[in-house]
Amino acid sequence: MLFNIPMETLPREEIEALQLRRLQDLCARVYANVPFYRKRFNDIGITPGDIKRLDDVKLLPFTEKQDMRNNYPFGLFCAPRENIVRLHASSGTTGKATVVGYTARDLQHWAECGARSLCCAGVTPRDIVHVAYGYGLFTGGLGAHYAAERLGATVIPASGGATRRQVQLMRDFGANVLCCTPSYALHLWEAGQEVGIDFRELPLRVGVFGAEPWTEEMRRDIEQKMGIQAMNIYGLSEVMGPGVAMDCLESKTGMHLWEDFFLPEIIDPVTGESLPEGEVGELVLTTLTKEGIPLIRYRTRDLTTLDYTPCACGRTHVRIGRLRGRSDDMLIIRGVNVFPQQIEGLILEAEGLSPNYQIIVDRVDNLDTIEVQVEMNETLFSDEIRKLQALEARLRKNIKEFLGVSAKITLLSPRSIERSEGKAKRIIDKRPK
Ligand code: ADP
Ligand code: ZN
């Protein structure tokens, strides 16, 4: 089922024509109303009238997270303060929080993107949607909430926390859909085990998981444990919140990015040059309709690909590949680039290990060291020590072989890594800055 058939199946030429009109309008709006952008445009000698073709977006300056911080809190707002009806702030995973403001129309568009995204996962107005993303300044909770309401589903605004009770509510209310981070989904599953609730016996059918990096291996693990379809949703508060892009049931190989609202580009994160379709690079997004805080060529730091090939679901909007990690999350260990997701993939391939892990990076005698702490699952835990050693050795060997770094492996007893109610903390970097 599609939420907005005409828009979601708009032919490519029409999408591009719409994007160009909206881009021109956006440039005129920010030039007139945001001194930061007017100065940026003037500095490089460009006026809104110079945008004649869609490709001219490349003439425009980038906007970075630091620009939002420098203009904290409301400096980049484009609408008068009295027209702003909601504020959110990013969780500040990588530094000081950034503030975003929405007009009433922005919130309508966000709910539309969210409702389309839920439809992509097969959610219908008859479903009961349990939202366990945190409610508050973080966009996850309210984003999923208004998306489900816009679709006409029944929403349970559980937020994060009180995990065992949440599992009981899911059972009692008969939730069909679970929205939360993938790590919290696993935490809920564990809590279910503790109180004797088997997710596979619940009416739960689909999970809408995002807000943190996760792997295909993690998807399979969750699907198997919970007996559901685990779908990937992408969003970021600077650009809007959850629902910027979403997996569809038909393909599950990429997330449709709503191109009537966002204009995507992929660039080389080092040189800033545009990359051809299919190459991995940094996702850059221009918000085409936003009024509160529109952004021109926002550098997301998220690494992915763009795929314009037609999708079996009939939607014409481009698909972005599973996020390869944030350029800021990349660890450089003795010169080798390592993403936590690569380690997660290797952990989940190893039998007997759980998806609960932490990566501890340190520097000893001027040499980077990396330790992977990973919990064994219950079955393995009760097994013999010899097997444990073999398992440690295998994971160490695989990390060495695939990633080229020597890591110390520490197997922990089940439930010894602290669970997060939102985004999981995967990396502890103790190296001096
Ligand atoms: P913060 O920047 O403080 O973490 P947000 O809560 O807005 O603020 O987080 C947005 C970021 O979360 C994205 O830029 C991306 O790195 C990550 N993210 C969101 N959804 C996904 C997803 N489905 N897969 C991987 N990473 C994601
Ligand atoms: Zn599709």
Side-chain angles (χ1 to χ4, degrees), residues 248 250-251 256 311-315 319:
C248 67
E250 288 80 357
S251 95
H256 290 287
C311 183
C313 71
R315 293 179 181 87
R319 280 174 285 168

Side-chain angles (χ1 to χ4, degrees), residues 120 246-256 309-317 319:
C120 273
M246 176 76 195
D247 264 347
C248 67
L249 279 176
E250 288 80 357
S251 95
K252 271 186 160 185
T253 53
M255 298 178 270
H256 290 287
T309 56
C311 183
C313 71
R315 293 179 181 87
T316 48
H317 296 237
R319 280 174 285 168

Side-chain angles (χ1 to χ4, degrees), residues 70-105:
N70 294 346
N71 290 281
Y72 178 90
F74 304 149
L76 293 186
F77 284 18
C78 188
R81 228 276 306 126
E82 60 268 28
N83 292 358
I84 301 287
V85 297
R86 172 113 57 89
L87 294 175
H88 277 286
S90 91
S91 50
T93 318
T94 52
K96 191 174 139 199
T98 46
V99 183
V100 286
Y102 301 78
T103 64
R105 194 160 154 270

